[in-house]
Amino acid sequence: QVQLVESGGGLVQPGGSLRLSCVVSGMFFSTSTVGWYRQAPGKSRELAAVITGSENEHYEEAVKGRFVVSRDNSENTVYLQMNRLKPEDTAVYYCYADEFSDASGLRRYWGQGTQVTVSA
């Protein structure tokens, strides 16, 4: 059974930093594409950052230069370091992991979400 457990959300002032963590279990992690989506109130879920198994990174334009996605394959963990946070970064952040198999094709798994609130 695949599980993704997130931690690290909370309340932070504008300009501050937070680091989100997501521990993945039940799947082969090191070659999988993993990353983070976010969903602000009243908006659809959007991709924030992704890192592939070969450690190529991609970021949503709004977070480029402020957020850094990374992974530790020895700990089956993906991180999102968020710097210079803005009120518009307020959202529920979801980690995800993609698993490919010949039998099932591509399957995407999700974490439960963690709230990030940026406010003075």
Side-chain angles (χ1 to χ4, degrees):
Q1 181 182 1
V2 178
Q3 287 190 314
L4 287 74
V5 180
E6 302 157 356
S7 60
L11 173 64
V12 63
Q13 293 186 342
S17 298
L18 279 177
R19 189 176 83 154
L20 306 183
S21 301
C22 176
V23 180
V24 181
S25 61
M27 62 178 287
F28 192 68
F29 179 82
S30 64
T31 59
S32 298
T33 293
V34 293
W36 297 87
Y37 275 72
R38 63 183 184 174
Q39 187 166 18
K43 296 188 177 181
S44 57
R45 194 176 294 190
E46 61 181 13
L47 180 66
V50 58
I51 184 167
T52 67
S54 53
E55 305 207 12
N56 292 313
E57 301 166 28
H58 172 77
Y59 298 93
E60 178 205 3
E61 196 63 34
V63 308
K64 277 183 181 178
R66 299 187 299 120
F67 290 12
V68 178
V69 61
S70 61
R71 62 193 299 158
D72 183 341
N73 291 337
S74 69
E75 298 290 337
N76 282 14
T77 301
V78 56
Y79 302 98
L80 186 66
Q81 177 67 44
M82 305 184 293
N83 302 317
R84 303 199 308 276
L85 282 159
K86 305 175 181 181
E88 51 264 43
D89 295 317
T90 295
V92 178
Y93 285 71
Y94 299 90
C95 70
Y96 78 93
D98 286 341
E99 179 183 55
F100 180 82
S101 69
D102 290 338
S104 304
L106 185 67
R107 295 187 66 176
R108 176 163 290 179
Y109 299 94
W110 295 95
Q112 80 281 5
T114 186
Q115 177 70 47
V116 172
T117 302
V118 185
S119 175

